[in-house]
Amino acid sequence: MDILQTLLRVAVNAYWEYKPWWTHRRLTTSLDEIEIDRPIFILGVQGGGLTLLTRMLHRNPNVVTTGGGRTYWVGNNEMDKHYIGRLPDDLALRSPRYQSPTFKTHLTGDEEDHPVFGLERDWVYACEHFLDRYRKTEDDWTPEKETRLRRAIKESIRAYASDMETARFLDMSQTFSLKVPLLRKIFPDACFVVQSRNPYAVCMRAAQDFRYEWVRELEATDETRRLKLQLVSEHWRNTFAYATEDLEDEGPAVFVRYEDLAANPEEELRRIAEAVDLTYDPDMIPRERHRLPLGAKEQHKWYPLRADTNQKYLDRLTPSMASVIEENVGDIAGPLGYWPPIDLGKGQFSQSSESTS
């Protein structure tokens, strides 16, 4: 039965992923006829609760993503990984964990096999080592990049929008947090939502995430534990440092903390919807009566809202671990309302800290 359910889920996702290729609208509507109205980009880090917010906003009937519209509001929503065509390399995250769309490899064969990270780039693309490679500004603009990005968005609007004239494209590609100036160059009217989550929790989670081969293969020593925390803390810091700097005194942009969204969803979602000019509806908030569409992945990322998800990671922190994170993120995290959850003494790493997330 589990195999049948898996096959059904794959089939449903493939149906929605490839709809831009077979929609009947290709016969009646050219991409030149489609206007892109104030695209919405949600910025942040992996594991930062962006899927929850994206799904809330996606329940607005006018919103489409790269993987679905009103009907399939749980579809793919990160075009840097899931676009069915090929985005320019400056706008894509090519990494072995992202082989979606279904049946289509995301890698090109030209990726660097790094001695530490291999082909993996998730949670390290914004660390100091890779930052220059993924950071993009208006100076990186070319007509080809703009044309290809616009085409990708228009294909989604044509395939999924209930009304193409009122459609709003929504995306949560985390790598775009480093590319705001380039996105603004292409879309001067774009809306941005920056969602943060407690770095002392998410950095602990990422540094112990054994799904990443480089995390598994580094020997469990104090030095490597510190190295992992250093790398993911750099990633968190650079993500929010550049996003906030690039959006300073620029609008429309709104900042939200995952913790506030989970604790006060109606208040926060109203504020966000107003900032990006989407009509708020109470049914955008996760409810027990809601049933996710057939084929939905990550079903836990809806109801019930989980306001206490940080605690299990914070419980693993030692003063030494917290100090590594604080040294890297403190100047950015503090203004966002995040502080070390424990006293920063000269604690040592404990062997038990190398547990799976």
Side-chain angles (χ1 to χ4, degrees), residues 7-298:
L7 291 175
L8 178 61
R9 184 169 64 251
V10 170
V12 171
N13 275 282
Y15 170 90
W16 288 107
E17 285 172 4
Y18 288 94
K19 189 174 181 180
W21 283 5
W22 58 259
T23 177
H24 70 278
R25 286 178 174 171
R26 295 186 62 169
L27 303 176
T28 60
T29 307
S30 73
L31 294 180
D32 291 340
E33 298 176 63
I34 298 173
E35 298 292 332
I36 302 173
D37 178 27
R38 296 164 297 158
I40 303 166
F41 298 102
I42 300 180
L43 311 178
V45 295
Q46 300 83 353
L50 277 64
T51 297
L52 175 64
L53 174 58
T54 299
R55 286 179 172 180
M56 288 180 176
L57 295 175
H58 200 174
R59 287 177 64 82
N60 179 289
N62 291 328
V63 169
V64 302
T65 68
T66 193
R70 181 178 187 176
T71 301
Y72 201 59
W73 50 272
V74 295
N76 289 330
N77 45 35
E78 301 169 69
M79 66 188 313
D80 65 341
K81 311 172 187 71
H82 299 150
Y83 173 50
I84 60 172
R86 180 174 173 179
L87 286 179
D89 286 346
D90 281 2
L91 293 165
L93 177 63
R94 309 201 187 283
S95 193
R97 289 192 60 237
Y98 298 110
Q99 293 305 291
S100 186
T102 307
F103 312 121
K104 181 177 182 292
T105 181
H106 192 66
L107 301 176
T108 66
D110 298 324
E111 293 76 20
E112 174 194 5
D113 192 356
H114 191 274
V116 175
F117 306 110
L119 298 177
E120 184 62 70
R121 297 296 179 265
D122 196 6
W123 259 103
V124 293
Y125 61 79
C127 75
E128 294 297 326
H129 180 78
F130 288 119
L131 182 60
D132 289 344
R133 198 173 305 179
Y134 286 92
R135 168 69 171 163
K136 301 300 172 184
T137 71
E138 59 270 14
D139 293 336
D140 296 292
W141 176 89
T142 67
E144 180 194 10
K145 292 173 189 174
E146 176 166 347
T147 297
R148 289 168 67 179
L149 180 59
R150 285 184 173 274
R151 178 181 181 85
I153 293 176
K154 288 183 178 183
E155 286 177 344
S156 297
I157 293 173
R158 181 171 65 182
Y160 303 122
S162 299
D163 184 340
M164 288 182 281
E165 292 186 1
T166 61
R168 299 285 302 281
F169 182 79
L170 173 68
D171 187 79
M172 53 163 269
S173 299
Q174 294 92 5
T175 56
F176 287 1
S177 304
L178 302 177
K179 310 176 194 298
V180 171
L182 176 58
L183 294 172
R184 279 212 180 280
K185 171 73 175 177
I186 298 173
F187 303 110
D189 61 349
C191 301
F192 294 90
V193 180
V194 181
Q195 178 165 305
S196 60
R197 182 176 171 186
N198 191 323
Y200 298 94
V202 293
C203 289
M204 276 293 294
R205 176 180 182 268
Q208 299 179 346
D209 193 335
F210 283 5
R211 291 175 301 172
Y212 305 143
E213 185 176 357
W214 70 273
V215 171
R216 293 196 306 270
E217 292 193 350
L218 285 176
E219 285 188 46
T221 66
D222 282 356
E223 182 179 356
T224 57
R225 292 186 186 104
R226 183 177 294 273
L227 173 61
K228 293 172 187 177
L229 281 174
Q230 171 76 27
L231 291 167
V232 298
S233 298
E234 288 176 359
H235 180 91
W236 192 97
R237 183 194 187 283
N238 287 330
T239 294
F240 292 101
Y242 280 104
T244 53
E245 178 183 330
D246 291 338
L247 292 169
E248 188 176 9
D249 300 326
E250 296 279 351
V254 60
F255 292 78
V256 60
R257 303 192 322 164
Y258 167 77
E259 295 80 8
D260 297 333
L261 180 66
N264 302 293
E266 297 199 27
E267 177 182 341
E268 289 297 292
L269 190 61
R270 281 183 182 275
R271 182 173 67 87
I272 296 165
E274 180 179 1
V276 300
D277 195 22
L278 287 176
T279 301
Y280 170 81
D281 187 308
D283 204 45
M284 296 162 72
I285 303 296
R287 311 287 183 185
E288 185 175 9
R289 67 175 183 275
H290 290 158
R291 295 293 177 266
L292 272 65
L294 180 66
K297 296 178 287 187
E298 300 180 311

Side-chain angles (χ1 to χ4, degrees), residues 272-327:
I272 296 165
E274 180 179 1
V276 300
D277 195 22
L278 287 176
T279 301
Y280 170 81
D281 187 308
D283 204 45
M284 296 162 72
I285 303 296
R287 311 287 183 185
E288 185 175 9
R289 67 175 183 275
H290 290 158
R291 295 293 177 266
L292 272 65
L294 180 66
K297 296 178 287 187
E298 300 180 311
Q299 298 193 22
H300 62 285
K301 295 183 177 180
W302 189 244
Y303 183 87
L305 288 173
R306 299 174 298 162
D308 60 349
T309 54
N310 289 337
Q311 196 57 49
K312 64 181 178 180
Y313 304 112
L314 297 177
D315 287 344
R316 303 175 188 174
L317 275 174
T318 66
S320 183
M321 292 174 172
S323 180
V324 173
I325 299 173
E326 195 276 337
E327 288 170 4

